[in-house]
Amino acid sequence: MSTCRRLHVTVRTARGLFVSRRQTRLCGHLPSSQSLSTGTLLRNDFFKDLESQFSAMRKKASDALPGSSWSPLQINSNLPPERADIVIVGGGVVGWSIAYWLKQKERVRGGVKVLVVEKDLTYSQASTVLSAGGIRQQFSLPENIHLSLASADFMRNINEHLGVLNEDPVDLQFNHSGYLFLASEEVAHIMEENYSTQRNAGAKVSLLSPTQLKEKFPWMNTDGVVLASHGLENEGWFDPWTLLNAFRRKALSMGAIQCCGEVTDLKYRTSRILSADGDEMDLRRIGSVKVQMPNSLEYQPVECAIVVNAAGASSARLPEMLGIPLPVEPRKRYVYVVHCPDGPGLDTPFLVDYSGVYFRREGLGGNYIAGMSPEEGEEPDTSNLEVDHQFFEDKVWPRLASRVPAFEKLKVTSAWAGFYDYNTLDQNGIIGMHPLINNMYFATGFSGHGLQHSPAVGRAVAELILDGDFTTLNLSGLGFRRVLAQEPMLERNIV
Ligand SMILES: Cc1cc2nc3c(=O)[nH]c(=O)nc-3n(C[C@H](O)[C@H](O)[C@H](O)COP(=O)(O)OP(=O)(O)OC[C@H]3O[C@@H](n4cnc5c(N)ncnc54)[C@H](O)[C@@H]3O)c2cc1C
């Protein structure tokens, strides 16, 4: 085994304006300042700085490994490998689900080297952990219904899939209270059509008249409600963090590799191709990704055959590096935690009102979470995750209180905001390979439903990569064709 290791350092010039890179090969021993000084840009104080950083690292390594002499291989044990077959950018629930399924499907144990790169292991801004945790079959597109059915089945048997020997079983804290959609006169016909699509796809949903609704949920004011649909099976909510960690734990146990770093650049080659219409187009092929280490000047290029874009709300940045646009952007959504001692009880479903407001129970003891999407054109600023409390006062609370009179007396106890990975074309997932990027697969743009679909989406992406096509669920409708043709596949009654 070679004892050589490349160290990549970002260097500031004297004026501190321009950032350049330098690559050094370390063999056996640390290089002296002299052996590094091949460039002319570097100033002497840089070497002093570098040498003192090396000393600190040497000390850290010897402290960590008492009794063993320092070796350059331990410069930064967190660096990713220099090569991987598949690099997944983004270690949210979608990224880790894909990693799990790739390892699950590989034909030879250890045959596929899968690296998951996540820039923030605290997940402070990841949509997964900031979501409402809901799963429903009540969609209008068969693709989404089937994704939900398959994912619910996976979650029901989660320990068969994600259980790890000698580790605690996974407990998703799944609450089976279902979703309850309310329809006004205006949209009742859509609800009826959706209902038959859902039933045809195998979902267990029932329609309720306002009288039946009032009998079942006496705490509700049914004014304005003409029809309701209630999920009877496979619907409710669960703990997103547990699902993410379960995928991660299992994938790691199967040999996937994780690295904390940010993919900040892609190296690629371009070749000219002719489209079916005879137009010349550039086809990109990625050769390596640049992984920048956190709080450090170090980075590591990772050569790879395939890149998977599971970077959630910021996934457009990766194709942008190749000059390719992606209609996915962050859109801020607020979740308010409220307390109401006299609010609806244990059988409370995840209620979605036709006014756009939703709420569900959050544990026991009169706690709930609630929210709604803003009007198009009133989208909040996405430069931070601050919560707009006035939005609750003006928009959310009046609608909540009009549907559930007990909510007149609620108190907001806390709130948070998260980013939807919002697909501006049609608010649905984009799954598959871009026709102009030869080796980047996408799994993004799920808007408000990426968490619940992650188990089936991970399997679908692994099929595309390892089998060359979808083999269980045909999700070709969610591919790039509609994006390039600008033919939205819209959900009706979306939340
Ligand atoms: C308020 C709210 C409520 C929601 N409610 C629901 C719900 O009830 N049900 C549901 O199914 N869905 C819901 N969603 C949507 C759901 O959360 C997302 O669709 C889903 O979590 C997307 O998962 P992901 O793994 O793609 O994204 P994320 O969880 O955001 O993970 C992407 C990861 O990529 C990392 N990353 C990005 N760029 C890079 C890079 N260049 N290098 C390295 N790492 C990078 C990020 O740090 C992040 O951790 C909700 C979302 C929000 C905001």
Side-chain angles (χ1 to χ4, degrees), residues 88 200 297 310 312 328 345:
I88 299 173
N200 287 341
L297 300 176
V328 176

Side-chain angles (χ1 to χ4, degrees), residues 129-235:
V129 297
L130 298 170
S131 79
I135 175 165
R136 60 186 160 112
Q137 265 86 70
Q138 297 185 62
F139 288 92
S140 63
L141 292 172
E143 284 85 349
N144 282 333
I145 302 170
H146 285 296
L147 279 169
S148 287
L149 283 166
S151 296
D153 184 63
F154 181 92
M155 289 186 215
R156 232 188 355 259
N157 302 300
I158 194 142
N159 279 297
E160 281 169 32
H161 299 286
L162 302 185
V164 175
L165 201 65
N166 299 328
E167 299 269 354
D168 289 340
V170 182
D171 176 8
L172 280 182
Q173 295 158 52
F174 201 107
N175 187 300
H176 296 268
S177 298
Y179 266 66
L180 179 69
F181 279 77
L182 305 182
S184 63
E185 180 80 60
E186 216 177 301
V187 291
H189 67 286
I190 301 181
M191 181 171 276
E192 279 175 344
E193 287 163 26
N194 289 352
Y195 168 78
S196 40
T197 314
Q198 291 152 11
R199 296 288 296 195
N200 287 341
K204 303 264 187 310
V205 184
S206 73
L207 288 180
L208 301 174
S209 69
T211 316
Q212 291 168 316
L213 193 60
K214 189 79 188 171
E215 268 168 28
K216 207 168 167 74
F217 305 111
W219 41 263
M220 192 187 306
N221 171 13
T222 54
D223 288 357
V225 179
V226 169
L227 195 63
S229 74
H230 189 208
L232 304 174
E233 217 178 82
N234 296 327
E235 286 199 349

